[in-house]
Amino acid sequence: MKRLIGCLLALAALTLPAAALEPMSKPLSIYGYTYYAIDSAGTLWAWGDSFHGGITAGEDPVDWEDAVAELENALWPQGGFAVGLAIDREGVLWGWGSDFAGALLEQDPSRGAVPLLDRVISAESDEGGVRALRDDGTLWSWNAKNPPHQVMDHVRAFSGCWAVLEDGTVLELREEPRPVASHAAGVSYDWNTQALLIWGIDGNLYQVRKDAGADRFQPPEPLLEDVVSLSNSTAVTSDGALWVWGNSLPLVQRDGALVKPTREEAERVLEGTPLRCLEGVRYGEMGMDLALVILEDGNLLRLPAFYTADLAQGDDPEPRETVRNLLDGTAPVTWREPDQSAPPPELLESQKDAIWWMLALCVSPVAAASLVYVWKGREKKRWPNG
């Protein structure tokens, strides 16, 4: 009865008008070898690889000195598949590049960025098209075959094939969306360890792994405390420390100097442990061979990066980039305020049940045999002539 009442209350809550979501200021984005940064005046600059359409002009690759101004009054950039995206301070989503996946809605980008959707607070693009979250909590999608249409509501955040609802529920976006965990504010995915990363309402970051060879999740494990900004493979904690994990690692700060991560540090990262790399940071993102970091003074710093696997094997790779201050001042970075009274993320009941069934079958062959026996008995009762 309690579960039934809880479900009814949840359904009632979803019928209420959604609270307006506040836009987040994020002045950086890295997609492959293409880079975007917003300066303090609101100009969005793009440089790096341009062959796939992520930059509208210039040679390939575009050096930082020849960076292209893609949009004015910008708030939030995002690289994507054959396209660049950005949200301006009025909430309009703009796009430029190639219309390969229908991302630009058949508009001609030859003269620059084209408007795509209004009231947007975040967006992503891949080979399947574009997904955009509006300030009313509705998630929209479009591609070459389908015009912009609403696919979900009551969403507070999304990343890839994951979404977080207003009530903190994490959904895996399939044909039939699957609830996974509760009490989340954001979500990401670590392709290196194949783990789901949940940014809790409590401000802490948790790791949720899948059982090997199975479609079930393990309980969330604490990863980092007091996270105030998060990207796909970096996080900044409230003390201004930059933490990094994944396929690439930047130079790290040790005794006032910037040095390569050690072999032992790289090995721990491959096992799923974030590495504390730099102090005095507001936001950062990792690329394949460099990191872009916004410091506390607002300056944009470029750091060389190295493949984690190479470092873990004891290789001594040479950096392709140099340490350099790129901008004296960037657009502000929005830090999320945690609710420290909130409970930590938990697996939802369906996921817990799956884990306990697996444990029972693995630990007790007798129990497994008993279950088969009971099931066969029930089937005989249901179908006595079968």
Side-chain angles (χ1 to χ4, degrees):
M1 179 62 71
K2 288 183 179 179
R3 184 174 294 182
L4 175 61
I5 292 174
C7 290
L8 292 174
L9 289 174
L11 288 172
L14 290 178
T15 63
L16 297 175
L21 298 174
E22 293 294 329
M24 304 287 283
S25 176
K26 184 199 75 164
L28 290 181
S29 179
I30 298 178
Y31 188 85
Y33 293 94
T34 306
Y35 314 101
Y36 304 96
I38 302 174
D39 66 20
S40 56
T43 302
L44 171 59
W45 298 95
W47 71 102
D49 284 354
S50 63
F51 68 91
H52 55 72
I55 304 175
T56 57
E59 299 295 326
D60 181 42
V62 177
D63 294 331
W64 164 249
E65 289 77 9
D66 302 315
V68 177
E70 298 288 0
L71 190 69
E72 301 295 332
N73 200 33
L75 180 73
W76 193 98
Q78 183 64 47
F81 183 78
V83 71
L85 300 173
I87 303 167
D88 69 17
R89 296 185 181 276
E90 304 301 321
V92 177
L93 176 66
W94 297 79
W96 60 90
S98 168
D99 199 29
F100 172 77
L104 303 183
L105 303 176
E106 299 183 351
Q107 298 180 85
D108 180 9
S110 61
R111 295 186 178 181
V114 295
L116 302 175
L117 193 67
D118 63 357
R119 299 175 56 192
V120 176
I121 64 168
S122 66
E124 289 184 357
S125 170
D126 57 25
E127 61 272 19
V130 177
R131 293 172 300 279
L133 178 61
R134 303 181 82 177
D135 61 9
D136 61 356
T138 55
L139 186 62
W140 290 65
S141 176
W142 63 90
N143 54 34
K145 296 181 179 179
N146 300 291
H149 60 285
Q150 181 181 323
V151 295
M152 189 177 295
D153 58 9
H154 296 278
V155 177
R156 68 187 295 175
F158 81 100
S159 178
C161 60
W162 305 92
V164 180
L165 301 183
E166 286 176 349
D167 64 0
T169 300
V170 177
L171 290 181
E172 186 176 13
L173 302 180
R174 306 173 157 194
E175 259 185 55
E176 292 293 331
R178 176 170 67 157
V180 174
S182 62
H183 308 304
V187 67
S188 183
Y189 194 80
D190 182 0
W191 291 100
N192 192 50
T193 59
Q194 302 291 296
L196 175 65
L197 301 178
I198 296 178
W199 193 4
I201 297 174
D202 61 2
N204 300 331
L205 188 64
Y206 299 83
Q207 181 176 247
V208 181
R209 297 177 183 266
K210 273 190 175 182
D211 289 321
D215 196 21
R216 287 169 295 273
F217 294 92
Q218 300 175 6
E221 302 173 358
L223 199 62
L224 287 174
E225 295 182 350
D226 300 324
V227 173
V228 292
S229 69
L230 178 69
S231 74
N232 286 338
S233 58
T234 71
V236 175
T237 46
S238 59
D239 59 356
L242 174 70
W243 299 78
V244 179
W245 58 90
N247 292 326
S248 298
L249 294 174
L251 294 177
V252 297
Q253 192 172 4
R254 297 287 184 268
D255 300 323
L258 293 172
V259 299
K260 288 181 185 178
T262 65
R263 180 175 184 173
E264 292 74 19
E265 289 171 334
E267 288 173 346
R268 289 196 296 271
V269 169
L270 290 179
E271 293 169 357
T273 302
L275 177 63
R276 186 170 184 144
C277 295
L278 199 63
E279 310 299 321
V281 175
R282 295 286 296 176
Y283 183 75
E285 291 207 9
M286 284 300 307
M288 307 295 277
D289 57 359
L290 63 81
L292 294 177
V293 178
I294 297 176
L295 303 177
E296 287 179 340
D297 60 8
N299 290 354
L300 176 62
L301 181 68
R302 181 183 70 191
L303 292 174
F306 312 90
Y307 286 114
T308 309
D310 290 345
L311 294 170
Q313 292 171 1
D315 296 344
D316 187 24
E318 289 298 319
R320 291 181 55 187
E321 299 288 351
T322 58
V323 178
R324 182 176 176 183
N325 188 76
L326 298 183
L327 283 174
D328 292 329
T330 57
V333 177
T334 303
W335 276 9
R336 188 175 68 80
E337 292 294 331
D339 179 2
Q340 296 180 342
S341 65
E346 296 180 347
L347 284 187
L348 296 178
E349 291 299 323
S350 59
Q351 297 295 323
K352 291 179 183 177
D353 293 344
I355 289 174
W356 284 113
W357 277 106
M358 282 298 296
L359 287 174
L361 294 175
C362 293
V363 171
S364 175
V366 175
S370 300
L371 287 172
V372 172
Y373 177 79
V374 170
W375 179 79
K376 286 186 174 180
R378 289 178 63 184
E379 291 300 300
K380 286 183 178 179
K381 288 180 180 179
R382 290 175 60 194
W383 310 104
N385 298 323

